[in-house]
PDB file of all heavy atoms in Angstrom:
ATOM      1  N   ILE D 141      12.181  81.239 -45.484  1.00 97.00           N
ATOM      2  CA  ILE D 141      11.331  80.172 -46.137  1.00 97.00           C
ATOM      3  C   ILE D 141      10.630  79.446 -44.939  1.00 97.00           C
ATOM      4  O   ILE D 141      11.279  79.153 -44.001  1.00 97.00           O
ATOM      5  CB  ILE D 141      12.197  79.335 -47.038  1.00 97.00           C
ATOM      6  CG1 ILE D 141      11.239  78.304 -47.760  1.00 97.00           C
ATOM      7  CG2 ILE D 141      13.281  78.550 -46.235  1.00 97.00           C
ATOM      8  CD1 ILE D 141      11.926  77.568 -48.908  1.00 97.00           C
ATOM      9  N   SER D 142       9.389  79.161 -45.184  1.00 96.00           N
ATOM     10  CA  SER D 142       8.607  78.511 -44.128  1.00 96.00           C
ATOM     11  C   SER D 142       7.742  77.528 -44.779  1.00 96.00           C
ATOM     12  O   SER D 142       7.220  77.602 -45.914  1.00 96.00           O
ATOM     13  CB  SER D 142       7.768  79.446 -43.281  1.00 96.00           C
ATOM     14  OG  SER D 142       6.863  80.228 -44.085  1.00 96.00           O
ATOM     15  N   ALA D 143       7.434  76.355 -43.976  1.00 95.00           N
ATOM     16  CA  ALA D 143       6.390  75.401 -44.354  1.00 95.00           C
ATOM     17  C   ALA D 143       5.193  75.572 -43.453  1.00 95.00           C
ATOM     18  O   ALA D 143       5.277  75.681 -42.337  1.00 95.00           O
ATOM     19  CB  ALA D 143       7.008  74.115 -44.183  1.00 95.00           C
ATOM     20  N   ASN D 144       4.097  75.811 -44.054  1.00 95.00           N
ATOM     21  CA  ASN D 144       2.835  76.066 -43.352  1.00 95.00           C
ATOM     22  C   ASN D 144       1.767  74.867 -43.466  1.00 95.00           C
ATOM     23  O   ASN D 144       1.318  74.667 -44.562  1.00 95.00           O
ATOM     24  CB  ASN D 144       2.169  77.350 -43.871  1.00 95.00           C
ATOM     25  CG  ASN D 144       3.132  78.523 -43.637  1.00 95.00           C
ATOM     26  OD1 ASN D 144       3.931  78.596 -42.767  1.00 95.00           O
ATOM     27  ND2 ASN D 144       3.021  79.544 -44.606  1.00 95.00           N
ATOM     28  N   ASN D 145       1.579  74.120 -42.373  1.00 94.00           N
ATOM     29  CA  ASN D 145       0.628  73.074 -42.374  1.00 94.00           C
ATOM     30  C   ASN D 145       0.903  72.015 -43.534  1.00 94.00           C
ATOM     31  O   ASN D 145       0.078  71.513 -44.187  1.00 94.00           O
ATOM     32  CB  ASN D 145      -0.827  73.471 -42.456  1.00 94.00           C
ATOM     33  CG  ASN D 145      -1.114  74.394 -41.290  1.00 94.00           C
ATOM     34  OD1 ASN D 145      -0.831  74.163 -40.172  1.00 94.00           O
ATOM     35  ND2 ASN D 145      -1.766  75.564 -41.556  1.00 94.00           N
ATOM     36  N   VAL D 146       2.234  71.786 -43.735  1.00 94.00           N
ATOM     37  CA  VAL D 146       2.508  70.901 -44.828  1.00 94.00           C
ATOM     38  C   VAL D 146       2.279  69.418 -44.593  1.00 94.00           C
ATOM     39  O   VAL D 146       2.799  68.898 -43.543  1.00 94.00           O
ATOM     40  CB  VAL D 146       4.001  71.092 -45.270  1.00 94.00           C
ATOM     41  CG1 VAL D 146       4.475  69.915 -46.144  1.00 94.00           C
ATOM     42  CG2 VAL D 146       4.160  72.422 -46.030  1.00 94.00           C
ATOM     43  N   THR D 147       1.474  68.725 -45.464  1.00 93.00           N
ATOM     44  CA  THR D 147       1.276  67.339 -45.302  1.00 93.00           C
ATOM     45  C   THR D 147       1.666  66.743 -46.714  1.00 93.00           C
ATOM     46  O   THR D 147       1.414  67.344 -47.749  1.00 93.00           O
ATOM     47  CB  THR D 147      -0.145  66.978 -45.025  1.00 93.00           C
ATOM     48  OG1 THR D 147      -0.485  67.599 -43.749  1.00 93.00           O
ATOM     49  CG2 THR D 147      -0.447  65.524 -45.064  1.00 93.00           C
ATOM     50  N   LEU D 148       2.383  65.601 -46.615  1.00 93.00           N
ATOM     51  CA  LEU D 148       2.679  64.786 -47.908  1.00 93.00           C
ATOM     52  C   LEU D 148       2.284  63.407 -47.668  1.00 93.00           C
ATOM     53  O   LEU D 148       2.834  62.688 -46.803  1.00 93.00           O
ATOM     54  CB  LEU D 148       4.134  64.945 -48.202  1.00 93.00           C
ATOM     55  CG  LEU D 148       4.576  64.142 -49.571  1.00 93.00           C
ATOM     56  CD1 LEU D 148       3.880  64.819 -50.720  1.00 93.00           C
ATOM     57  CD2 LEU D 148       6.022  64.083 -49.747  1.00 93.00           C
ATOM     58  N   ARG D 149       1.337  62.891 -48.432  1.00 91.00           N
ATOM     59  CA  ARG D 149       1.049  61.467 -48.435  1.00 91.00           C
ATOM     60  C   ARG D 149       1.539  60.710 -49.597  1.00 91.00           C
ATOM     61  O   ARG D 149       1.348  61.276 -50.740  1.00 91.00           O
ATOM     62  CB  ARG D 149      -0.512  61.328 -48.274  1.00 91.00           C
ATOM     63  CG  ARG D 149      -1.124  61.792 -46.968  1.00 91.00           C
ATOM     64  CD  ARG D 149      -2.483  61.305 -46.710  1.00 91.00           C
ATOM     65  NE  ARG D 149      -2.951  61.666 -45.387  1.00 91.00           N
ATOM     66  CZ  ARG D 149      -3.553  62.874 -45.124  1.00 91.00           C
ATOM     67  NH1 ARG D 149      -3.673  63.737 -46.076  1.00 91.00           N
ATOM     68  NH2 ARG D 149      -3.823  63.199 -43.898  1.00 91.00           N
ATOM     69  N   ILE D 150       2.071  59.543 -49.418  1.00 86.00           N
ATOM     70  CA  ILE D 150       2.355  58.653 -50.524  1.00 86.00           C
ATOM     71  C   ILE D 150       1.712  57.511 -50.447  1.00 86.00           C
ATOM     72  O   ILE D 150       1.943  56.670 -49.489  1.00 86.00           O
ATOM     73  CB  ILE D 150       4.037  58.463 -50.522  1.00 86.00           C
ATOM     74  CG1 ILE D 150       4.736  59.757 -50.645  1.00 86.00           C
ATOM     75  CG2 ILE D 150       4.408  57.440 -51.622  1.00 86.00           C
ATOM     76  CD1 ILE D 150       6.228  59.597 -50.471  1.00 86.00           C
ATOM     77  N   GLY D 151       0.709  57.341 -51.201  1.00 84.00           N
ATOM     78  CA  GLY D 151      -0.405  56.276 -51.100  1.00 84.00           C
ATOM     79  C   GLY D 151      -1.097  56.587 -49.771  1.00 84.00           C
ATOM     80  O   GLY D 151      -1.593  57.617 -49.535  1.00 84.00           O
ATOM     81  N   LYS D 152      -1.219  55.549 -48.807  1.00 82.00           N
ATOM     82  CA  LYS D 152      -1.891  55.822 -47.560  1.00 82.00           C
ATOM     83  C   LYS D 152      -0.977  56.338 -46.522  1.00 82.00           C
ATOM     84  O   LYS D 152      -1.400  56.718 -45.473  1.00 82.00           O
ATOM     85  CB  LYS D 152      -2.496  54.552 -47.137  1.00 82.00           C
ATOM     86  CG  LYS D 152      -3.772  54.003 -47.989  1.00 82.00           C
ATOM     87  CD  LYS D 152      -4.298  52.731 -47.466  1.00 82.00           C
ATOM     88  CE  LYS D 152      -5.470  52.349 -48.357  1.00 82.00           C
ATOM     89  NZ  LYS D 152      -6.079  51.135 -47.806  1.00 82.00           N
ATOM     90  N   LYS D 153       0.361  56.320 -46.787  1.00 84.00           N
ATOM     91  CA  LYS D 153       1.281  56.681 -45.788  1.00 84.00           C
ATOM     92  C   LYS D 153       1.464  58.236 -45.756  1.00 84.00           C
ATOM     93  O   LYS D 153       1.730  58.788 -46.853  1.00 84.00           O
ATOM     94  CB  LYS D 153       2.663  55.972 -45.987  1.00 84.00           C
ATOM     95  CG  LYS D 153       3.648  56.291 -44.837  1.00 84.00           C
ATOM     96  CD  LYS D 153       5.049  55.693 -45.171  1.00 84.00           C
ATOM     97  CE  LYS D 153       5.957  56.107 -44.170  1.00 84.00           C
ATOM     98  NZ  LYS D 153       7.450  55.721 -44.565  1.00 84.00           N
ATOM     99  N   ALA D 154       1.471  58.786 -44.557  1.00 85.00           N
ATOM    100  CA  ALA D 154       1.797  60.223 -44.506  1.00 85.00           C
ATOM    101  C   ALA D 154       3.291  60.396 -44.192  1.00 85.00           C
ATOM    102  O   ALA D 154       3.687  60.058 -43.028  1.00 85.00           O
ATOM    103  CB  ALA D 154       0.887  60.896 -43.469  1.00 85.00           C
ATOM    104  N   LEU D 155       4.079  60.895 -45.081  1.00 90.00           N
ATOM    105  CA  LEU D 155       5.461  61.025 -44.853  1.00 90.00           C
ATOM    106  C   LEU D 155       5.646  62.313 -43.938  1.00 90.00           C
ATOM    107  O   LEU D 155       6.502  62.361 -43.065  1.00 90.00           O
ATOM    108  CB  LEU D 155       6.222  61.283 -46.143  1.00 90.00           C
ATOM    109  CG  LEU D 155       7.782  61.071 -46.094  1.00 90.00           C
ATOM    110  CD1 LEU D 155       8.228  59.737 -45.425  1.00 90.00           C
ATOM    111  CD2 LEU D 155       8.398  61.293 -47.457  1.00 90.00           C
ATOM    112  N   PHE D 156       4.900  63.342 -44.232  1.00 93.00           N
ATOM    113  CA  PHE D 156       4.834  64.502 -43.290  1.00 93.00           C
ATOM    114  C   PHE D 156       3.351  64.912 -42.997  1.00 93.00           C
ATOM    115  O   PHE D 156       2.478  64.779 -43.836  1.00 93.00           O
ATOM    116  CB  PHE D 156       5.436  65.701 -44.055  1.00 93.00           C
ATOM    117  CG  PHE D 156       6.939  65.546 -44.292  1.00 93.00           C
ATOM    118  CD1 PHE D 156       7.289  65.271 -45.607  1.00 93.00           C
ATOM    119  CD2 PHE D 156       7.849  65.531 -43.314  1.00 93.00           C
ATOM    120  CE1 PHE D 156       8.642  65.037 -45.966  1.00 93.00           C
ATOM    121  CE2 PHE D 156       9.207  65.383 -43.627  1.00 93.00           C
ATOM    122  CZ  PHE D 156       9.573  65.132 -44.873  1.00 93.00           C
ATOM    123  N   GLU D 157       3.151  65.285 -41.830  1.00 91.00           N
ATOM    124  CA  GLU D 157       1.637  65.635 -41.288  1.00 91.00           C
ATOM    125  C   GLU D 157       1.673  66.902 -40.575  1.00 91.00           C
ATOM    126  O   GLU D 157       2.301  67.092 -39.550  1.00 91.00           O
ATOM    127  CB  GLU D 157       1.270  64.459 -40.377  1.00 91.00           C
ATOM    128  CG  GLU D 157      -0.216  64.465 -40.060  1.00 91.00           C
ATOM    129  CD  GLU D 157      -1.129  63.847 -41.170  1.00 91.00           C
ATOM    130  OE1 GLU D 157      -0.887  62.630 -41.330  1.00 91.00           O
ATOM    131  OE2 GLU D 157      -1.975  64.674 -41.673  1.00 91.00           O
ATOM    132  N   ASP D 158       1.052  67.921 -41.275  1.00 93.00           N
ATOM    133  CA  ASP D 158       0.900  69.252 -40.609  1.00 93.00           C
ATOM    134  C   ASP D 158       2.163  69.887 -40.015  1.00 93.00           C
ATOM    135  O   ASP D 158       2.267  70.205 -38.920  1.00 93.00           O
ATOM    136  CB  ASP D 158      -0.194  69.229 -39.469  1.00 93.00           C
ATOM    137  CG  ASP D 158      -1.573  68.920 -40.054  1.00 93.00           C
ATOM    138  OD1 ASP D 158      -1.892  69.360 -41.158  1.00 93.00           O
ATOM    139  OD2 ASP D 158      -2.381  68.286 -39.431  1.00 93.00           O
ATOM    140  N   VAL D 159       3.126  69.894 -40.928  1.00 94.00           N
ATOM    141  CA  VAL D 159       4.454  70.495 -40.524  1.00 94.00           C
ATOM    142  C   VAL D 159       4.362  71.920 -40.596  1.00 94.00           C
ATOM    143  O   VAL D 159       4.086  72.519 -41.680  1.00 94.00           O
ATOM    144  CB  VAL D 159       5.608  69.816 -41.331  1.00 94.00           C
ATOM    145  CG1 VAL D 159       6.893  70.601 -41.166  1.00 94.00           C
ATOM    146  CG2 VAL D 159       5.740  68.338 -41.073  1.00 94.00           C
ATOM    147  N   ASN D 160       4.852  72.516 -39.493  1.00 95.00           N
ATOM    148  CA  ASN D 160       4.923  74.035 -39.492  1.00 95.00           C
ATOM    149  C   ASN D 160       6.430  74.345 -39.040  1.00 95.00           C
ATOM    150  O   ASN D 160       6.854  74.025 -37.887  1.00 95.00           O
ATOM    151  CB  ASN D 160       3.961  74.695 -38.559  1.00 95.00           C
ATOM    152  CG  ASN D 160       2.573  74.667 -39.157  1.00 95.00           C
ATOM    153  OD1 ASN D 160       2.173  75.390 -39.983  1.00 95.00           O
ATOM    154  ND2 ASN D 160       1.864  73.598 -38.653  1.00 95.00           N
ATOM    155  N   ILE D 161       7.198  74.958 -39.826  1.00 96.00           N
ATOM    156  CA  ILE D 161       8.579  75.367 -39.503  1.00 96.00           C
ATOM    157  C   ILE D 161       8.984  76.570 -40.387  1.00 96.00           C
ATOM    158  O   ILE D 161       8.575  76.790 -41.422  1.00 96.00           O
ATOM    159  CB  ILE D 161       9.469  74.086 -39.704  1.00 96.00           C
ATOM    160  CG1 ILE D 161      10.857  74.329 -39.076  1.00 96.00           C
ATOM    161  CG2 ILE D 161       9.630  73.744 -41.142  1.00 96.00           C
ATOM    162  CD1 ILE D 161      11.716  73.051 -39.020  1.00 96.00           C
ATOM    163  N   LYS D 162       9.891  77.351 -39.629  1.00 96.00           N
ATOM    164  CA  LYS D 162      10.371  78.532 -40.347  1.00 96.00           C
ATOM    165  C   LYS D 162      11.899  78.618 -40.361  1.00 96.00           C
ATOM    166  O   LYS D 162      12.460  78.271 -39.258  1.00 96.00           O
ATOM    167  CB  LYS D 162       9.837  79.800 -39.585  1.00 96.00           C
ATOM    168  CG  LYS D 162      10.057  81.074 -40.253  1.00 96.00           C
ATOM    169  CD  LYS D 162       9.559  82.330 -39.482  1.00 96.00           C
ATOM    170  CE  LYS D 162       8.007  82.327 -39.455  1.00 96.00           C
ATOM    171  NZ  LYS D 162       7.602  83.490 -38.673  1.00 96.00           N
ATOM    172  N   PHE D 163      12.439  78.828 -41.524  1.00 97.00           N
ATOM    173  CA  PHE D 163      13.886  78.903 -41.539  1.00 97.00           C
ATOM    174  C   PHE D 163      14.373  80.353 -41.845  1.00 97.00           C
ATOM    175  O   PHE D 163      13.840  80.986 -42.829  1.00 97.00           O
ATOM    176  CB  PHE D 163      14.461  78.085 -42.748  1.00 97.00           C
ATOM    177  CG  PHE D 163      14.009  76.581 -42.509  1.00 97.00           C
ATOM    178  CD1 PHE D 163      12.938  76.117 -43.251  1.00 97.00           C
ATOM    179  CD2 PHE D 163      14.711  75.755 -41.652  1.00 97.00           C
ATOM    180  CE1 PHE D 163      12.591  74.743 -43.078  1.00 97.00           C
ATOM    181  CE2 PHE D 163      14.386  74.458 -41.566  1.00 97.00           C
ATOM    182  CZ  PHE D 163      13.267  73.908 -42.276  1.00 97.00           C
ATOM    183  N   THR D 164      15.025  80.972 -41.013  1.00 96.00           N
ATOM    184  CA  THR D 164      15.464  82.447 -41.069  1.00 96.00           C
ATOM    185  C   THR D 164      16.847  82.762 -41.486  1.00 96.00           C
ATOM    186  O   THR D 164      17.728  82.002 -41.398  1.00 96.00           O
ATOM    187  CB  THR D 164      14.990  83.139 -39.867  1.00 96.00           C
ATOM    188  OG1 THR D 164      15.809  82.511 -38.740  1.00 96.00           O
ATOM    189  CG2 THR D 164      13.520  82.984 -39.493  1.00 96.00           C
ATOM    190  N   GLU D 165      17.121  84.049 -41.883  1.00 95.00           N
ATOM    191  CA  GLU D 165      18.241  84.491 -42.356  1.00 95.00           C
ATOM    192  C   GLU D 165      19.408  84.433 -41.290  1.00 95.00           C
ATOM    193  O   GLU D 165      19.124  84.468 -40.061  1.00 95.00           O
ATOM    194  CB  GLU D 165      18.265  85.965 -42.828  1.00 95.00           C
ATOM    195  CG  GLU D 165      17.558  86.246 -44.138  1.00 95.00           C
ATOM    196  CD  GLU D 165      16.062  86.337 -43.989  1.00 95.00           C
ATOM    197  OE1 GLU D 165      15.511  86.045 -42.915  1.00 95.00           O
ATOM    198  OE2 GLU D 165      15.360  86.581 -44.993  1.00 95.00           O
TER     199      GLU D 165
END
């Protein structure tokens, strides 16, 4: 499972910004 360029904004605050990470078997 991987996150590709994940950004999460809550209001004006970015909790995550352009996160790229891969989790492998």
Side-chain angles (χ1 to χ4, degrees):
I141 181 169
S142 63
N144 301 328
N145 300 314
V146 163
T147 295
L148 178 69
R149 288 195 178 87
I150 298 172
K152 291 183 178 179
K153 184 189 175 189
L155 195 57
F156 297 106
E157 190 83 60
D158 291 328
V159 169
N160 288 281
I161 190 167
K162 186 183 291 183
F163 303 99
T164 57
E165 286 84 356

